[in-house]
Amino acid sequence: MSSFVPSITLNDSTPIPQLGLGLWKIDPADCETVIRTAIDAGYRHFDCAAIYKNEEAVGAALRAAIAAGDVDRDEIFVVSKVWNNQQGFEETGEAFNQSLTRLGLDYLDMYMVHWPCADKGTYQSTFEAIAQLQGLGRVQTVGVCNFYEETLDSIIADTGITPAINQIELHPGLSQQQLVDYHHHHGIVTECWSPLGQGEILGHPVLGEIAEEHGVTPAQVALRWSLQHDRIVIPRSRTPERIRENIDVFSFELTEEELDRITAMDQADGAGRVGLDPREFS
Ligand code: NDP
């Protein structure tokens, strides 16, 4: 069963579903229900990471769905990320194998550097290891998370490879326009983590007014804003109704004026940040 979610073609020609399911903080005990609900609703993209400590349960749920014939392996896009304490060329290869084993899969669709942690000085060799995994056919595409201009410049210069995706905190409260412009210039697709601002932005009156206008919810408006800017979104929910609600965002369209009003929600100097600042986190 294919999905109605559009795909974006990355700089290495790999297609990725523009909307996926975030899996941070999803308790292993809930993974079966969450993932089967998501697959039924049309999700085909699953955003995991070693540090989420749920790869076994995520893998078991995905494999159960494949065994049940709900979905084929090549219809789903499975992502994991190397955690900061396993950065480095050799270590990243080991981390990748461990994630693959925990997930019980033969390959990953995308493997990512989770944070640059620039003061460690190992994000370049970490990225190089992921690029080598792509060359070996063990991963379809290579991505990074939380990279900013200097760290992107550095890996592109060192390896000659431009990551297909940079996954960054991005929602109406934190637009990151300068970094997004850098992505456009280099052909990097922007993927939004915390696209709902971890729920904190959903009470904003602008989202409420626009939601009422379209007969949808503030969460759907926030997601639509990112989608209409050609970004990837990976909302997380453990609530079945919300899992369905968050993918039901392809039957309405925001006007240019509405998009601009939402963009104006951005808070100066990164004050709308709900997560860690990558320039500071190590
Ligand atoms: P989100 O912005 O997706 O928000 C999740 C929160 O919003 C949960 O509390 C959820 O509650 C609630 N929620 C979900 N849908 C709705 C809705 N329709 N209406 C009202 N509330 C809703 O936060 P995340 O930080 O989890 O970001 C999404 C994903 O991005 C992560 O799960 C992870 O995969 C990725 N990520 C990556 C990072 C990185 O460093 N690369 C960092 C952070 C996140 P409930 O579950 O109770 O329904």
Side-chain angles (χ1 to χ4, degrees):
M1 183 183 75
S2 63
S3 170
F4 50 86
V5 174
S7 283
I8 288 186
T9 302
L10 302 174
N11 63 9
D12 57 6
S13 303
T14 305
I16 179 172
Q18 199 185 355
L19 184 145
L21 183 71
L23 290 162
W24 182 38
K25 292 189 177 174
I26 300 294
D27 192 289
D30 295 332
C31 282
E32 172 76 14
T33 305
V34 164
I35 286 178
R36 295 302 278 275
T37 303
I39 288 174
D40 281 352
Y43 289 76
R44 294 293 179 269
H45 168 178
F46 301 91
D47 186 75
C48 206
I51 195 67
Y52 300 167
K53 308 254 184 256
N54 55 12
E55 286 178 311
E56 283 99 342
V58 168
L62 290 174
R63 284 181 283 107
I66 293 168
D70 293 351
V71 79
D72 290 335
R73 171 65 185 96
D74 62 6
E75 287 177 314
I76 57 173
F77 195 96
V78 185
V79 180
S80 193
K81 314 181 188 99
V82 53
W83 187 240
N84 307 343
N85 64 357
Q86 289 189 292
Q87 282 202 0
F89 192 86
E90 298 296 329
E91 294 87 341
T92 298
E94 282 165 29
F96 176 80
N97 286 333
Q98 289 162 2
S99 279
L100 214 54
T101 302
R102 285 192 291 263
L103 286 159
L105 299 174
D106 299 331
Y107 68 93
L108 284 186
D109 297 274
M110 178 160 67
Y111 198 49
M112 310 182 95
V113 186
H114 206 146
W115 291 85
C117 303
D119 62 345
K120 287 193 209 290
T122 46
Y123 66 83
Q124 296 93 338
S125 55
T126 303
F127 182 71
E128 212 181 323
I130 296 177
Q132 191 192 60
L133 290 167
Q134 184 185 31
L136 295 169
R138 305 195 67 205
V139 61
Q140 304 290 319
T141 194
V142 292
V144 295
C145 308
N146 301 303
F147 275 49
Y148 40 92
E149 291 84 342
E150 302 90 294
T151 50
L152 287 166
D153 280 343
S154 167
I155 52 170
I156 294 168
D158 273 17
T159 63
I161 297 169
T162 302
I165 286 185
N166 189 17
Q167 186 186 108
I168 56 171
E169 180 181 342
L170 203 159
H171 47 74
L174 185 75
S175 287
Q176 304 238 45
Q177 194 55 53
Q178 198 177 316
L179 184 52
V180 168
D181 289 344
Y182 177 105
H183 291 168
H184 281 153
H185 184 70
H186 287 84
I188 299 169
V189 170
T190 303
E191 178 169 23
C192 311
W193 62 254
S194 297
L196 304 173
Q198 297 180 0
E200 288 183 23
I201 58 166
L202 300 180
H204 195 289
V206 166
L207 294 182
E209 286 160 24
I210 296 173
E212 208 176 315
E213 195 67 35
H214 288 272
V216 297
T217 66
Q220 290 172 314
V221 171
L223 295 172
R224 192 69 213 166
W225 173 78
S226 286
L227 292 169
Q228 284 187 225
H229 284 103
D230 299 324
R231 298 168 194 154
I232 297 170
V233 290
I234 43 169
R236 178 237 324 170
S237 178
R238 63 192 160 97
T239 315
E241 302 75 49
R242 288 174 171 177
I243 293 171
R244 289 188 279 270
E245 175 185 321
N246 293 343
I247 200 173
D248 184 15
V249 288
F250 297 98
S251 56
F252 72 100
E253 194 157 343
L254 302 174
T255 64
E256 287 300 324
E257 187 263 342
E258 288 169 336
L259 291 171
D260 290 346
R261 281 170 66 203
I262 299 167
T263 302
M265 285 171 55
D266 183 42
Q267 294 187 41
D269 303 322
R273 201 179 277 287
V274 297
L276 298 164
D277 184 341
R279 289 178 188 271
E280 290 165 11
F281 181 55
S282 178

